[in-house]
Amino acid sequence: MGMLLRRYHKVDGRMPSPDETTVEEKKNADVLWVGHNEEPSIRNLFKKKFQDEHPMDIVEVINDCHMYQCGARDKDGKLKYPFVLCDLDGIVKINGVTGILECKTCNIGSEDYRIWKSGKVPLKYYLQCCYYMLCMNLPYAYICVKWGISPQECAYMYIERNLEVEEMIIDM
């Protein structure tokens, strides 16, 4: 992630001049970099917490960070949704059933932090997981968020596949 991506100016569609490029872009790139580098520890935290809370279940966490394209095909054999791609953080198998594992980091005090702490998934991340389940044709996802360094500063939530939400995403 060596090069920063620049956003188009929202009003006139032009590229910003170098003096208009904000520190925010660098900050966002740094946050993405940190989040990506935390993924292995978040996968490990998820496995530990899940096994501690569900000792009778067999859980396997797979480091699968590949890019996938939705393989659903129409009656003519053509891809139905060639634009549906996902870049996984991991795969989880619980008692032999495969699902998505999405890893997130969060700053304490942010709006997302308050949502996570209330036991809910912020909408943007819920929709991301729905999109990934569509792409991978998998029945569930777990999303795991870390906001500190101890296992207590981490939470995970289960998301079941919802075909109606997937249809809305495709329509959008």
Side-chain angles (χ1 to χ4, degrees):
M1 183 180 273
M3 180 173 50
L4 290 178
L5 298 176
R6 293 190 182 177
R7 296 185 304 271
Y8 282 97
H9 192 275
K10 292 183 183 196
V11 176
D12 59 15
R14 67 178 175 77
M15 289 293 289
S17 67
D19 59 314
E20 291 177 299
T21 303
T22 65
V23 174
E24 182 179 317
E25 289 175 331
K26 173 79 169 107
K27 180 179 151 192
N28 289 342
D30 289 345
V31 168
L32 290 172
W33 182 85
V34 168
H36 178 72
N37 281 285
E38 287 293 320
E39 288 171 10
S41 73
I42 295 169
R43 283 191 294 270
N44 290 333
L45 272 170
F46 170 80
K47 185 173 183 178
K48 178 183 179 3
K49 284 184 73 96
F50 192 90
Q51 285 180 320
D52 289 349
E53 295 172 10
H54 307 276
M56 301 303 289
D57 288 330
I58 299 168
V59 61
E60 181 182 2
V61 175
I62 301 161
N63 177 13
D64 184 339
C65 300
H66 293 93
M67 175 77 72
Y68 290 94
Q69 182 177 39
C70 181
R73 297 189 180 271
D74 64 18
K75 60 181 172 73
D76 298 324
K78 293 183 180 175
L79 289 174
K80 281 176 77 172
Y81 312 117
F83 54 89
V84 175
L85 305 169
C86 70
D87 188 7
L88 297 179
D89 293 340
I91 295 283
V92 62
K93 287 186 181 180
I94 298 176
N95 299 323
V97 181
T98 303
I100 305 291
L101 179 60
E102 183 60 25
C103 302
K104 297 295 178 196
T105 55
C106 183
N107 289 322
I108 293 175
S110 71
E111 180 61 32
D112 285 346
Y113 173 74
R114 288 186 283 281
I115 296 169
W116 291 119
K117 286 291 285 183
S118 74
K120 297 180 178 129
V121 179
L123 180 61
K124 59 191 169 190
Y125 300 130
Y126 171 78
L127 292 173
Q128 178 186 10
C129 289
C130 290
Y131 190 78
Y132 284 11
M133 287 183 278
L134 163 67
C135 184
M136 299 296 293
N137 192 29
L138 291 173
Y140 71 91
Y142 275 98
I143 188 163
C144 187
V145 60
K146 176 181 173 182
W147 57 80
I149 61 171
S150 75
Q152 293 74 29
E153 296 170 308
C154 170
Y156 66 85
M157 288 93 178
Y158 173 82
I159 301 171
E160 191 168 324
R161 189 167 182 186
N162 184 324
L163 299 177
E164 290 176 11
V165 171
E166 289 177 13
E167 284 181 37
M168 287 188 278
I169 292 170
I170 291 298
D171 288 345
M172 285 189 282

